[in-house]
Amino acid sequence: MGHYDASGIKVLDRAVSIMMTVAHQPRSLTELSEATELPRATAHRLATALEAHRILARTADGKWAIGPTLTSIGARSKNQLIDAATPTMSALMEQTGESVQLYQLTGTSRTCIAALEPSSGLQNTVPIGSRMPLTAGSAAKIFLAYGSPELRAAILPEAAFDASALDEAVRRGWADSVGEREVGLSSLSAPVHNSAGEFLAVLSLSGVSERLRPSPGELWGEEILRCARGLAQAL
C-alpha cells in the first residue's frame, strides 16, 4: 500500500489505495486485501462504503471495479482537455502537415483521446480510442519520463528504449522515435501539463519517416514544445 500513504489521514489514504488498485483491474476481496495490504474486514468495509458513493461498482462476477461517479468525472475532465487542445492540435497539423494525436495514460497503456489528420498526403491514422503499449514510440517515452516511478519500473525492462532516453526526454522537453513502434513511421511527443504543473496527457505528431528527416525532433521539436506550453496556459 506504501506509496499511497501520502496525506497522513489514514482512512483517506486507505480509500485512495483501494481506488488506485481497482483502477488497474477489477479485484475480488481477497485480491484487494492482498494488493493493498489491508485486513480483509477493513478492505471490505471501505470498498463497500466507496460502492455506496458509486465510486466503486461490482462486476457481474462480484469483483470491485471503478464506478460511475469517477467515470463521469473522468469523462468531463477528458472532454475539457480535448476542447482546450483542439485549436493547438489543429495549428500543429497545419504547420507540419502531419497527423496529430493526444494520448492519456490508461493503466499500463496509452489511449488516443483525440486525433487530427491532414486532408492530403500519406497519413498515419490513429483511431480515437486506440490503446497502445508503453514499450515503444515517442509518446511512451514521455509517459515513462514524466509518470510515476512505479510505472517506469514496471515497463522499462520490456521497452525498446532505456533510462537514458527518458532522461533525455526530460532534458529536452520532447522525445522522438524513428521506426520504433512501426517500420517506416516516426513520431515526436511532448508532455501536456495544466497551469498547476500537473502532467495530464501527451501531444504527438506522427508521419512517414521519409518526410521527418533528419529526425522528427530536429524538424519540429521547438514547435511541439511551443504548442505544449500554449496548451498548458489554456488549461
Side-chain angles (χ1 to χ4, degrees):
M1 192 178 78
H3 56 277
Y4 299 120
D5 282 348
S7 73
I9 302 171
K10 188 181 282 185
V11 68
L12 178 61
D13 291 331
R14 285 174 163 182
V16 169
S17 173
I18 286 171
M19 286 155 56
M20 297 299 280
T21 300
V22 165
H24 290 295
Q25 66 188 76
R27 306 272 189 167
S28 67
L29 177 58
T30 301
E31 291 166 342
L32 194 57
S33 173
E34 286 173 0
T36 58
E37 298 173 15
L38 290 171
R40 280 174 65 94
T42 305
H44 185 268
R45 182 168 54 83
L46 289 173
T48 305
L50 290 167
E51 191 182 344
H53 286 285
R54 293 161 61 86
I55 288 170
L56 297 190
R58 298 284 191 127
T59 61
D61 58 356
K63 292 186 175 186
W64 275 291
I66 290 297
T69 300
L70 283 188
T71 307
S72 65
I73 291 169
R76 280 203 300 276
S77 63
K78 184 173 86 170
N79 290 340
Q80 288 167 348
L81 175 60
I82 293 168
D83 288 347
T86 300
T88 300
M89 292 174 67
S90 185
L92 187 60
M93 180 188 70
E94 291 294 331
Q95 177 155 15
T96 63
E98 304 296 350
S99 302
V100 177
Q101 302 87 29
L102 192 65
Y103 293 100
Q104 274 194 314
L105 186 67
T106 44
T108 53
S109 63
R110 54 183 165 114
T111 297
C112 178
I113 62 167
L116 292 175
E117 305 291 338
S119 55
S120 61
L122 285 164
Q123 294 166 16
N124 170 39
T125 304
V126 180
I128 293 170
S130 302
R131 289 182 77 147
M132 298 177 186
L134 295 177
T135 47
S138 64
K141 290 173 189 168
I142 296 293
F143 277 116
L144 295 194
Y146 289 84
S148 71
E150 292 80 19
L151 183 69
R152 184 189 287 214
I155 302 292
L156 196 56
E158 309 295 321
F161 44 82
D162 58 17
S164 65
L166 306 185
D167 296 338
E168 195 170 305
V170 172
R171 184 174 58 79
R172 288 173 161 173
W174 53 259
D176 64 2
S177 65
V178 177
E180 199 173 278
R181 190 176 63 81
E182 201 173 317
V183 176
L185 287 181
S186 293
S187 68
L188 172 68
S189 297
V192 174
H193 296 88
N194 63 14
S195 56
E198 296 166 319
F199 174 47
L200 298 181
V202 173
L203 178 66
S204 295
L205 68 84
S206 58
V208 179
S209 298
E210 279 294 316
R211 279 205 311 269
L212 292 168
R213 291 178 184 278
S215 73
E218 283 183 65
L219 205 53
W220 298 117
E222 285 303 313
E223 188 55 33
I224 203 167
L225 273 183
R226 195 174 64 76
C227 287
R229 288 189 195 115
L231 187 45
Q233 289 166 351
L235 292 163

